[in-house]
Amino acid sequence: MASQFSLDRAKIKAVILHTCRACPPERLGAVKLHKVLYFLDMINFAQTGMSVTGATYNKRPFGPTCLQLLPVVREMVAGGALDVREVDYYGLRKKEYIGLVPPASNALGNGEMALLDEVIDFVCNQHSAKSISDYSHQLPWEMAAFGEEIPYKSAFMLFPAPTSLEAFEVIDEESGVEAWRATGENIVEFPSLRDFRARLLNEGLPG
């Protein structure tokens, strides 16, 4: 199945570098980096109808993973923008990501940057790698087959607010997202990301 968005390489690199700057290496491994990207793109899609990075997400055992992350990371390492180290973590091997250059200042809009900072705080500071992996096993992940792409329209299942049947029917149509955006209306009645984040925290962390 073809992804509905094209990867914006400048934006995904900016997200990676900003995450590395905001999250200390000991708190940021591969699992968390995948989840920062996933929640950033899915929440932004639910709020605006657009992905931030245009990345594709697939169902894997440790939750949704970004299909393009590894090749982009390799490109950034080769270009001297990123360092990836393998360290011992309680007897296991863990990757640490260190940004070597600042992110491009104009790659992300103000709203995208504010959302990214909220997502980084939630993923890196409020969760361990295990708990954010467990938490990401929600309906969008459950409904996909292993290895299958998780569609962006499933982002609405992450929100506590009710979504109308008519809204889902619009999104299911081939040009549904564009038609919905043209109306200027929200599919989910959701005042702010802070409320969304509060809902996540109030549910408690998985065991």
Side-chain angles (χ1 to χ4, degrees), residues 46-153:
Q47 292 180 331
T48 70
M50 293 297 294
S51 166
V52 174
T53 71
T56 302
Y57 297 92
N58 293 340
K59 178 174 180 174
R60 299 296 181 192
F62 294 103
T65 61
C66 177
L67 179 66
Q68 297 93 345
L69 179 58
L70 184 56
V72 169
V73 164
R74 286 173 176 165
E75 182 180 320
M76 295 174 71
V77 170
L82 189 69
D83 186 24
V84 181
R85 305 169 186 170
E86 284 203 356
V87 299
D88 180 79
Y89 185 76
Y90 297 101
L92 301 174
R93 301 303 295 171
K94 173 183 176 292
K95 288 185 178 180
E96 289 186 348
Y97 299 84
I98 299 94
L100 303 178
V101 298
S105 59
N106 60 349
L108 301 174
N110 291 337
E112 293 171 335
M113 186 64 76
L115 175 58
L116 175 57
D117 284 336
E118 289 278 359
V119 170
I120 290 171
D121 184 44
F122 175 69
V123 171
C124 293
N125 297 331
Q126 307 297 332
H127 278 277
S128 66
K130 181 182 185 304
S131 69
I132 196 61
S133 174
D134 290 345
Y135 184 80
S136 70
H137 292 183
Q138 298 184 59
L139 273 176
W141 179 87
E142 291 176 356
M143 292 177 67
F146 276 102
E148 185 177 83
E149 181 177 340
I150 299 173
Y152 271 92
K153 67 180 181 180

Side-chain angles (χ1 to χ4, degrees), residues 5 8 11 22 28 45 78 89 94 120 133 152 162 186-187 195:
F5 297 114
D8 189 319
K11 284 194 173 185
L28 181 64
F45 177 84
Y89 185 76
K94 173 183 176 292
I120 290 171
S133 174
Y152 271 92
N186 291 326
I187 283 186
D195 294 331

Side-chain angles (χ1 to χ4, degrees), residues 39 122 135 138-139 155-161 190 192-205:
F39 282 114
F122 175 69
Y135 184 80
Q138 298 184 59
L139 273 176
F156 300 109
M157 298 175 187
L158 297 171
F159 286 74
F190 203 78
S192 72
L193 175 63
R194 290 186 181 277
D195 294 331
F196 175 69
R197 183 164 164 258
R199 173 251 181 175
L200 301 185
L201 295 175
N202 288 338
E203 284 188 352
L205 304 184

